[in-house]
Every structure is written in structure tokens, then in C-alpha cells.
Amino acid sequence: MSLFEQQELYVYNSLSKTKEKFSPIHPGAVGMYVCGPTVYSNVHMGNCRTFLSFDLVFRYLKQLGYKVRYVRNITDAGHLENDGESGDDPILKKARIEKLEPMEVVQKYTVDFHETMGKFNALPPSIEPTATGHIIEQIQIVERIISEGYAYEKNGSVYFDVAKFDQDHKYGKLSGRNLEDTISNTRELTTQSEKRNPQDFALWKKAEPQHIMHWPSPWSDGFPGWHLECTAMSTKYLGNNFDIHGGGMDLKFPHHECEIAQAEACNHESPVNVWMHTNMLTLNGKKMSKSTGNNILPGELFSGENDILSKAFSPAVSKFFMFQAHYRSILDFSNDALVASEKGYNRLMESYRSLDNISTSTAGSFDVSKWRQSCYDAMNDDFNSPILIAQLFEASKYINGLKEGKETISADDLGLLQKTMHDFIFDVLGLVDTTSENNSDGNKLTGAVELLIELRNQARSNKDFATSDQIRDQLLEAGIQLNDGKDGTTFSLN
Ligand code: AMP
Ligand code: ZN
């Protein structure tokens, strides 16, 4: 019997706004699509939070024994805000600024994304399709929507007719916005449009001469609208109706609402059974975002090179920090919270390692089987990672009791405890133990440089400037830069 037959998983569905018992369309197999990054800049920690939350979902479904096909796309044909009417294609913009081919921009930031996900020990998806690799499929969908009567062509561009769709299928099921709300929200665009109605959205846009990325189509040399690629790639690889579609909360409207409209217009069925949306990572109480610059990059976190950080944090600690909040809660990024998470993470790893040296006797006061089920219960309740982590700390307390000789454990229980800790810490949360060997080099370096900073301070207070300058200059030659600030001296690696 598979684990998924023993465990009851409940998932919050943004469409029904309730937690529903999860039951995939094909027993034992799950199809999941997650909107991937737009690759025109480095991913920030907010993006990482969303992708790591879905890595947790992917990992837990696999832990339950499901065969999962996880599709996460790469948006490499820049999506346009306001359907390109006033927005700019961010990939083309970046290509101009950096004097690169658009595909060089795409390659550079796709590689960065993969490296970053690798550092976080996120599993690669089963299929990672690109928008530019699916232009034909996107054109076919536009043709279908036109033939169903829900889209119209104007001057070489094609628009989705939202009002017509709304009459037959009802628009706004996911976001809860009705047509009137949408119209009032898009009022500012009414003057400049080829659209019949302001709420209509582009399926295909005719390319202006300066638009370098364009493809032939029955309507014009142009490019697909923002929402189309996800409909094309999700239905191609997962079918017209599949289990889970995910993304950040900010994609619910208009992106996912438009995906539903496109798919229903083509196939007359709802494309997705469960819509999952992750909440935002904020910085100073505001959403982390690429465009406003209010963000922290993973590289800054791993090196400590950002003024709001007191030190570097490993990818595992950063991930542990994020999993200490539920994926549907807002999480505010702060140095203090990371410092606290690091302590917790170190404690957990230390407990896990110490299980190797525990001697067994008779069963103790801790019911290991019941505790194991509590770990599953936490994850079965809409992937509640903070409760799971609290359960792991319960085990950690017991392990401390064992180490101090205040508790006992049977051999069977020790085996089960060790396996369960391993399953959840490494397989489900996808953490790695960096506390033992890897990180110790970093700690040793920090210790050595801090000693040199201290010696330099002593030299300066003795007015021995030759020595203090020598320490600073020779460290710089070795690639270590000292930075004197009002709160003392810090260092960074060049
Ligand atoms: P983008 O590359 O902008 O399309 O974003 C990729 C993913 O990151 C999307 O699912 C977004 O919803 C998500 N995202 C963007 N900003 C944040 C944030 N501050 N917190 C969590 N997820 C975010
Ligand atoms: Zn998408």
C-alpha cells in the first residue's frame, strides 16, 4: 500500500477558497504546472520563496509515493505589461542596456536561475519548456479561440473577447473579480486601444519594427501575448484538465484568470482542479520585486554583502527561515529572523547527527510512531511546514534527553526516529547539513579575519599605522577587503 493511500492530504484551492481533500485525476499520478521565471534579471529571494514552496510540494507528493510530472516553464519571450500597449518587453530592454542578443540575456539568467535553485538544493522539474520553443502551439491555440468565436483580429494583432467569453462561461472565477470591476480597473487604457473593450487582452501582437523577437503567424510577424505560453505548455504536457497549477499570489490576476479563460474557450472544460498561490516575501513590509529594486538577491545572502545583513547565511539556513512560515502567509525578511533560524537549524542538524551515538535499551516516554504521524499530519494540512518544523524540534528535545541519559529508546524506535527525521529534513524539506564540514571553512576564515581586524584596531590605537596599513593592504591582496563603518569594521571577499 502506498503512503498516499494511508495519508489524507488536504490542499487549499484558491479557486474554491477552501482546503480540499487531494485526489488526483489519475490515481497515483499527479500533474503539476508552475509559472517559471521571466529570465531578464537575477531571481531575487521573493521569486526563490515561490519556487522553493513548490519544490516542497513536489518533494512531499513524491514522499507520499505519487508519480509526479512537474512542469515549470521559462518565460524567454518577454511578457509585456499592459499587453505591450504601454509596457516594454523586459528581455529586449535588458538586451539593449547590456548590448546582448535577447537570447544571450535569456541564457545568462536561465543559467543563474538553475545555479541558484541548485544551491538551494531544489529538485529540477520533470519538464522545463520555454515559451520560444512553443510558438507553434501558441499560434494553434489562438486559431482555436478565434474559431470558437472568443477572439478577433485587428491590424495584425489578436485579442481575447472577454465580454463574449463572460456571457457563455463567466470570467473572473479565480480572482473573484467581475467584468465591471475589471473594466473600471483598466479604464486608463480605453483611449489607446485596438481592443473592442478595455478588459480584452492580447493573444498575439504584431511586432513593431524595433521588436527583434518575432515569429510569422497567420495574422502578422509578431509575438504571443503574456498569458498564452502557460496555456500552451501546461495543456501540451499535462492535458486539458490537470491536477495542480501554481504560482505567486500576484499572478492570480490577470495571468491565471486569463489562462482559465483561454483554456475554457478552447476546450470547454476547466483546465485546473487545484490552484495554489504562494504569498509574498516582503522587505521593509513591501513586496520584494524586480522592478522597484526592493529586494535581496540570493548571492547577497550567501555572501553577507548587503547592508541589512550582519553576516552571510547559507542556502540551507535561508530555506529553513522561509519554511518556518506557511507558504500562504506573508513573510517579512529580516536579519534577526535569519539569525534565529540559523540557531534553530544548527540545533536540528546537531540533534540529527547525534542519533548515530545513542545507545538503545527500552522504549522511552516519547511515542515515536505517534510523533511520525504528527509530521505527516502537518504536511497533510496544506503543506504546513512551520508545524512540521515544530514537530522536528519536539524530537530534538527528546534526543537531548537521550543524550543526557534522562530518556531511553528501543532499537526499533531509534530506527524509526532516525528514518523519519531523515525523510522530513532531507527528502521533504530538502535541507542539507552544512553545519559539519562545508561551512566550517567559512567559519574558520571569519574567525581568522576577525582576529586580524582586532590586531589592526590595536595597532591603530597604538598609532602604529605601518602595521594597521600592512594588515589592510595584505588582506586586500589576498582578496579580502576591509570596510570601515560607524559600527566597526566588516569584511567582504573580492
Ligand atoms: P517573475 O519572474 O516576475 O514572473 O516571477 C516568478 C515567480 O516569483 C512568480 O510566481 C511570482 O509570483 C513570484 N514572486 C515574485 N515576487 C515575489 C515575492 N516578493 N514573494 C514571493 N513570490 C514572488
Ligand atoms: Zn504562467
Side-chain angles (χ1 to χ4, degrees):
M1 194 161 149
S2 300
L3 258 178
F4 62 77
E5 290 166 289
Q6 298 159 27
Q7 304 290 337
E8 285 209 333
L9 171 62
Y10 281 78
V11 182
Y12 183 85
N13 186 349
S14 310
L15 192 61
S16 65
K17 297 180 186 58
T18 53
K19 279 186 206 166
E20 294 171 356
K21 184 168 165 6
F22 181 67
S23 142
I25 299 161
H26 305 288
V30 179
M32 173 163 87
Y33 185 89
V34 171
C35 295
T38 309
V39 281
Y40 68 93
S41 62
N42 302 99
V43 279
H44 56 68
M45 285 306 295
N47 304 130
C48 293
R49 182 182 187 205
T50 288
F51 296 127
L52 293 174
S53 298
F54 287 107
D55 185 56
L56 180 71
V57 171
F58 182 35
R59 284 170 172 276
Y60 188 58
L61 292 171
K62 280 157 66 87
Q63 173 68 23
L64 290 181
Y66 285 114
K67 185 168 178 291
V68 188
R69 181 180 291 169
Y70 172 23
V71 183
R72 187 186 63 208
N73 70 306
I74 295 280
T75 297
D76 61 348
H79 72 228
L80 297 161
E81 281 167 37
N82 302 334
D83 295 333
E85 299 209 40
S86 61
D88 209 350
D89 176 336
I91 294 179
L92 292 185
K93 204 162 142 188
K94 194 65 172 240
R96 276 199 293 275
I97 294 168
E98 296 197 357
K99 296 201 167 44
L100 297 172
E101 269 291 316
M103 275 298 149
E104 280 182 288
V105 174
V106 162
Q107 182 69 18
K108 178 174 169 184
Y109 295 110
T110 304
V111 167
D112 170 75
F113 174 59
H114 288 154
E115 280 178 4
T116 303
M117 286 296 113
K119 284 183 189 153
F120 279 118
N121 194 33
L123 299 173
S126 333
I127 305 178
E128 194 168 46
T130 61
T132 56
H134 295 75
I135 300 291
I136 292 171
E137 289 83 347
Q138 297 184 67
I139 291 174
Q140 284 167 345
I141 291 181
V142 180
E143 286 174 329
R144 286 271 296 283
I145 301 176
I146 293 175
S147 73
E148 295 288 340
Y150 295 114
Y152 55 91
E153 195 228 313
K154 187 80 199 268
N155 305 332
S157 294
V158 182
Y159 296 96
F160 191 93
D161 190 339
V162 175
K164 173 85 193 327
F165 175 82
D166 187 55
Q167 281 168 11
D168 304 339
H169 294 267
K170 182 132 181 45
Y171 180 75
K173 294 189 237 346
L174 179 66
S175 59
R177 299 188 196 204
N178 59 32
L179 204 56
E180 285 71 44
D181 297 343
T182 336
I183 293 167
S184 59
N185 280 338
T186 46
R187 193 177 302 144
E188 68 275 17
L189 290 178
T190 47
T191 49
Q192 40 163 313
S193 203
E194 293 169 341
K195 300 175 184 177
R196 282 185 195 156
N197 290 300
Q199 71 277 10
D200 294 353
F201 57 89
L203 296 173
W204 187 264
K205 284 291 286 185
K206 181 180 173 181
E208 300 299 328
Q210 72 274 17
H211 205 106
I212 338 172
M213 286 166 101
H214 54 84
W215 294 265
S217 80
W219 315 284
S220 62
D221 264 18
F223 53 93
W226 168 23
H227 317 299
L228 199 57
E229 60 175 282
C230 289
T231 301
M233 294 184 267
S234 61
T235 54
K236 171 163 179 164
Y237 297 109
L238 300 171
N240 290 344
N241 173 234
F242 56 93
D243 298 301
I244 299 176
H245 190 316
M249 207 91 114
D250 55 340
L251 296 187
K252 210 192 253 188
F253 187 87
H255 185 52
H256 293 159
E257 199 68 82
C258 294
E259 272 189 55
I260 293 177
Q262 292 168 158
E264 287 189 0
C266 275
N267 305 317
H268 306 286
E269 63 176 314
S270 174
V272 176
N273 287 3
V274 182
W275 282 92
M276 290 182 70
H277 289 101
T278 53
N279 213 326
M280 296 293 108
L281 184 65
T282 58
L283 179 63
N284 302 317
K286 290 198 204 80
K287 181 191 162 189
M288 272 199 199
S289 118
K290 276 181 208 180
S291 51
T292 60
N294 183 50
N295 65 54
I296 299 262
L297 300 179
E300 295 172 331
L301 204 52
F302 308 156
S303 68
E305 285 172 31
N306 185 304
D307 288 348
I308 73 161
L309 300 171
S310 60
K311 62 186 285 301
F313 294 94
S314 72
V317 167
S318 319
K319 188 160 142 174
F320 190 70
F321 154 72
M322 292 193 275
F323 287 161
Q324 282 183 300
H326 186 251
Y327 78 88
R328 284 193 290 116
S329 309
I330 288 180
L331 174 63
D332 196 45
F333 183 94
S334 80
N335 186 71
D336 289 353
L338 275 157
V339 169
S341 290
E342 184 168 54
K343 284 198 186 118
Y345 165 86
N346 288 344
R347 203 153 31 97
L348 191 62
M349 290 300 168
E350 157 73 29
S351 301
Y352 176 74
R353 274 200 309 274
S354 63
L355 283 172
D356 284 339
N357 306 316
I358 299 286
S359 34
T360 57
S361 55
T362 52
S365 67
F366 190 74
D367 186 336
V368 179
S369 303
K370 197 167 153 214
W371 163 79
R372 174 180 177 277
Q373 185 54 42
S374 310
C375 294
Y376 278 99
D377 290 346
M379 289 303 284
N380 289 340
D381 183 13
D382 194 28
F383 311 97
N384 200 323
S385 55
I387 304 281
L388 169 66
I389 290 171
Q391 287 300 337
L392 295 174
F393 281 130
E394 283 301 309
S396 189
K397 263 193 243 159
Y398 175 53
I399 296 167
N400 283 342
L402 289 167
K403 286 199 295 198
E404 289 162 12
K406 293 181 188 152
E407 276 285 3
T408 58
I409 192 166
S410 69
D412 282 355
D413 277 355
L414 180 63
L416 189 64
L417 179 61
Q418 208 154 14
K419 177 176 173 0
T420 309
M421 291 280 276
H422 188 281
D423 284 352
F424 281 97
I425 296 175
F426 302 107
D427 296 344
V428 174
L429 294 173
L431 298 172
V432 280
D433 186 358
T434 52
T435 53
S436 44
E437 323 90 47
N438 306 353
N439 218 24
S440 62
D441 281 352
N443 288 341
K444 283 177 202 156
L445 177 71
T446 305
V449 178
E450 278 170 358
L451 173 67
L452 285 163
I453 291 174
E454 179 54 36
L455 292 174
R456 177 168 167 257
N457 289 343
Q458 284 174 17
R460 280 159 123 193
S461 58
N462 295 336
K463 301 211 166 6
D464 177 3
F465 297 115
T467 304
S468 71
D469 288 352
Q470 186 188 4
I471 292 173
R472 185 197 59 208
D473 295 345
Q474 291 196 353
L475 278 174
L476 192 60
E477 269 174 38
I480 298 166
Q481 177 162 5
L482 298 187
N483 309 306
D484 295 318
K486 63 178 179 348
D487 300 323
T489 304
T490 56
F491 73 93
S492 51
L493 303 182
N494 287 335

